[in-house]
Amino acid sequence: TAIVGTFIIGITGAVIAFGDTLYYAHLDAGGTEASIAPLVATIKEIRIVHPFVAVLVSIFLLVLAWQAQRLRPSTVSRQLALLLSMFIALQIIAGILNVYWRVPVAMQLIHLLLADLVWIAVVLVSAQALRLSACLLYTSKGWHKWEEHIVVALDRHFDIAA
């Protein structure tokens, strides 16, 4: 769900960035609101979708990151949750500045870089939360980490312990 939400943010962001670029380029070239292309006008009308979806998905990602850190406590989990939180906060600030400064190319690139960093952090938080080392297996001798179970099984199979 987190990864799908991140994809949706990227898709809506790409469409809105394209529309904003055309819209402001048109106005900067001396065009008027009335002479703008219908597609660009439509994109401009739906531009609220991207920030709305981005804030909702960001809240969801933050909750997931901190839940993963709480359920699988470790230094790495905590650092990744903090890193994702920081990237999301910077991304939202960059998005606001992007609109405020009328989407300059440099700001678009910074916003895109931060989107990539958020994506990488989401993947790392997901991998940390789903890591196999946190999985426990129940055997006849009780609960064991899966690595311990594999080592015991390999020892028996290859007679390593003898």
Side-chain angles (χ1 to χ4, degrees), residues 2-160:
I3 290 176
V4 171
T6 307
F7 276 139
I8 291 171
I9 292 173
I11 291 166
T12 59
V15 170
I16 299 309
F18 174 67
D20 282 351
T21 301
L22 294 177
Y23 175 75
Y24 289 117
H26 176 75
L27 292 181
D28 290 344
T32 64
E33 289 266 345
S35 67
I36 203 155
L39 176 62
V40 176
T42 303
I43 292 173
K44 186 181 178 307
E45 292 297 318
I46 63 168
R47 83 185 313 250
I48 191 65
V49 171
H50 175 66
F52 181 73
V53 170
V55 167
L56 288 179
V57 172
S58 293
I59 291 168
F60 180 71
L61 291 175
L62 292 172
V63 169
L64 284 181
W66 289 103
Q67 279 293 342
Q69 182 266 329
R70 189 180 65 78
L71 295 173
R72 305 275 170 101
S74 72
T75 303
V76 173
S77 294
R78 187 172 34 81
Q79 289 172 341
L80 288 173
L82 186 61
L83 189 69
L84 179 60
S85 301
M86 182 185 69
F87 287 151
I88 287 174
L90 289 172
Q91 180 69 315
I92 290 172
I93 290 167
I96 291 167
L97 291 175
N98 211 4
V99 172
Y100 180 75
W101 289 332
R102 296 176 45 154
V103 293
V105 173
M107 197 64 217
Q108 287 182 24
L109 293 175
I110 291 169
H111 197 52
L112 187 57
L113 171 66
L114 287 167
D116 291 339
L117 294 174
V118 166
W119 171 252
I120 291 167
V122 166
V123 170
L124 292 175
V125 166
S126 300
Q128 181 69 13
L130 300 173
R131 72 187 191 281
L132 288 177
S133 64
C135 294
L136 297 175
L137 296 174
Y138 186 76
T139 65
S140 59
K141 296 182 181 179
W143 289 99
H144 301 282
K145 286 188 174 180
W146 74 275
E147 297 109 329
E148 296 166 358
H149 185 70
I150 297 298
V151 169
V152 169
L154 288 173
D155 286 350
R156 286 189 197 143
H157 182 73
F158 292 107
D159 199 21
I160 296 172

